[in-house]
Amino acid sequence: MKRIFLAAVIATFAAGSALAQDASCETKAVGKDGKPLAGAAKTSFMKKCTTDACETKAVGSDGKKLAGAAKNSFMKKCQSGA
């Protein structure tokens, strides 16, 4: 029961931060000339930005970085924003 509650709390924070991170990545999607990115450049930038943002949050309850299936699950959930 304790693990389920902990997982629910972590998922709630991950979802909230994922939504906030998309807005942050959106504002950072600017080219060297100061114009907003578009098309494939924006898509690539957004993917890298969300991956980098989620990567730093992929930490277990013991404070160690997640690995394997736990990391894959967390990254998928974090990047989807759900």
Side-chain angles (χ1 to χ4, degrees):
M1 187 70 170
K2 189 175 183 180
R3 286 186 179 187
I4 293 172
F5 178 72
L6 180 63
V9 169
I10 290 172
T12 302
F13 285 118
S17 63
L19 294 174
Q21 131 207 340
D22 283 342
S24 174
C25 289
E26 192 75 38
T27 59
K28 293 179 186 177
V30 179
K32 292 180 183 178
D33 57 359
K35 295 180 182 177
L37 295 175
K42 183 176 181 180
T43 303
S44 175
F45 177 83
M46 292 297 289
K47 183 175 181 181
K48 183 180 185 312
C49 183
T50 55
T51 300
D52 291 346
C54 289
E55 189 82 32
T56 60
K57 297 174 189 167
V59 180
S61 60
D62 57 355
K64 295 181 182 179
K65 290 185 176 183
L66 295 176
K71 182 177 179 181
N72 291 341
S73 176
F74 177 83
M75 292 295 287
K76 185 176 180 182
K77 191 177 287 187
C78 180
Q79 289 174 344
S80 71

